[in-house]
Amino acid sequence: MDEVLEELLPKGMVVPSSYELVGHIAHLNLRTEHLPHRRLIAQVVFDKNRPKVQTVVNKIDAIQNDYRTMQLEVLAGNHSLVTTVVENGIRFQVDLATVLFYWRWRQKNDHNLDRTKWRTKLNKYWNSRLGTERQRLINSFKRGDNVCDVFSGVGPLAIAAAKKVNRVYANDLNPFAVKYQLKNIACNKLQGKVEVFNKDGRELIKEILGRENPAFVTQVVMNLPNDAAEYLDAFRGVFREKHRDMHLPLPTIHVYGFSKASKPESEFLERIGSALGEAPTAVVMHRVRLVAPGKWMLCATFSLPKRVAFTS
């Protein structure tokens, strides 16, 4: 494929050689210099990877809204954006086109969607590249754990975890993510092990940990790298109505974030401490992947500080 593109693209242009495969859909992330040649590039990807690839799309803009959506353009192949992904033996159905009709509840009168060019909004609730990271987390869970997945999307982590742990609370603000998560739970016969919510992340944290038996939650996963650290303020005073002498076991938090700093772990820890009101101790930092030159995706794991949980 690279050789063909080298022949077809202008001399000296960097050849785009990678894409993310979501079921039958090849998802490109082209540079600005590639855009005038995007259909040519897409057709080569399509021709060289059939029948595995049946549709080729390209990201048009960045994730910039409450529902974690971004704009896509279909460039080659058929226009079917409903696909099935299999990860570690678990089947997930994802419809990348649904938010074309319902991108944001708060902008019901948005008439700017260009259907004639087959542009759509992709909810970034699925990322195939994070499969290894999801499995790393699941391997750290115990059979008796009760997991709260604050930004669960269509359920790749929540459903896989449910096959191992005692119970999972899965939440996403996007109603379409929730719709497909419920389908995926049923498809994998896990209805009795996953409780699904359609709430803001802060609201979910306060509701679940504020229940009569908050000790029921042992693991909290917050995989929304752009914003998750900001949601940590929801843990402030989450146990304030409880008695300190209850000896409640505090949940382990796994929060994700991006950092472009020269010392990414230190910068991320500083943001975590700022949101919580104090820096947690014994933090384990894991570099998930380099998403762009100088930009790391990190996962910080730590126990919720007692003073944060009980603060008034």
Side-chain angles (χ1 to χ4, degrees), residues 69 97 200-201:
T69 60
D200 171 76

Side-chain angles (χ1 to χ4, degrees), residues 109-281:
N109 296 318
D110 180 4
H111 301 296
N112 295 321
L113 299 177
D114 188 350
R115 301 187 192 189
T116 63
K117 294 184 179 179
W118 281 93
R119 292 180 176 180
T120 184
K121 304 290 186 178
L122 164 64
N123 184 298
K124 198 60 179 169
Y125 42 62
W126 182 274
N127 189 331
S128 299
R129 296 174 182 173
L130 294 180
T132 300
E133 175 61 14
R134 286 190 281 268
Q135 194 57 48
R136 182 188 72 86
L137 267 194
I138 292 167
N139 289 343
S140 74
F141 297 158
K142 298 179 176 61
R143 294 286 176 188
D145 273 331
N146 298 287
V147 178
C148 178
D149 189 354
V150 182
F151 309 107
S152 59
V154 297
L157 174 75
I159 292 172
K163 285 185 168 287
K164 177 179 180 179
V165 304
N166 181 61
R167 189 165 182 79
V168 176
Y169 298 103
N171 174 72
D172 204 276
L173 179 64
N174 188 312
F176 279 101
V178 170
K179 172 185 174 181
Y180 275 89
Q181 182 165 186
L182 289 168
K183 285 186 176 183
N184 293 330
I185 290 168
C187 177
N188 290 282
K189 299 179 172 59
L190 290 165
Q191 293 95 323
K193 297 197 68 176
V194 186
E195 185 175 352
V196 180
F197 300 84
N198 179 205
K199 297 177 179 290
D200 171 76
R202 288 186 177 87
E203 184 182 348
L204 186 278
I205 290 167
K206 292 175 181 178
E207 176 178 333
I208 294 297
L209 273 76
R211 287 183 173 182
E212 194 169 319
N213 183 15
F216 197 66
V217 175
T218 57
Q219 307 278 349
V220 179
V221 180
M222 303 175 71
N223 191 350
L224 183 62
N226 278 326
D227 308 300
E230 298 175 13
Y231 284 78
L232 290 170
D233 61 5
F235 289 100
R236 294 184 188 178
V238 75
F239 288 171
R240 68 166 62 95
E241 302 299 329
K242 314 298 177 184
H243 295 292
R244 285 178 178 266
D245 59 5
M246 290 175 67
H247 302 295
L248 294 172
L250 297 161
T252 297
I253 299 173
H254 311 270
V255 60
Y256 289 80
F258 294 129
S259 179
K260 295 181 179 179
S262 58
K263 296 181 178 179
E265 289 85 356
S266 298
E267 188 272 337
F268 189 34
L269 182 57
E270 185 177 331
R271 282 191 280 136
I272 289 170
S274 176
L276 286 172
E278 71 170 71
T281 59

Side-chain angles (χ1 to χ4, degrees), residues 95-108:
D95 184 353
L96 306 189
T98 52
V99 285
L100 173 64
F101 305 104
Y102 196 28
W103 181 32
R104 298 182 71 185
W105 272 355
R106 298 171 189 172
Q107 294 184 349
K108 291 182 180 179

Side-chain angles (χ1 to χ4, degrees), residues 51-83:
K52 180 174 66 174
V53 170
Q54 299 174 31
T55 305
V56 182
V57 300
N58 180 52
K59 182 175 76 170
I60 295 175
D61 62 7
I63 298 171
Q64 56 185 7
N65 57 79
D66 294 341
Y67 288 162
R68 294 179 287 158
T69 60
M70 63 184 176
Q71 193 172 31
L72 294 180
E73 183 178 13
V74 177
L75 298 174
N78 67 53
H79 292 161
S80 173
L81 296 180
V82 178
T83 189

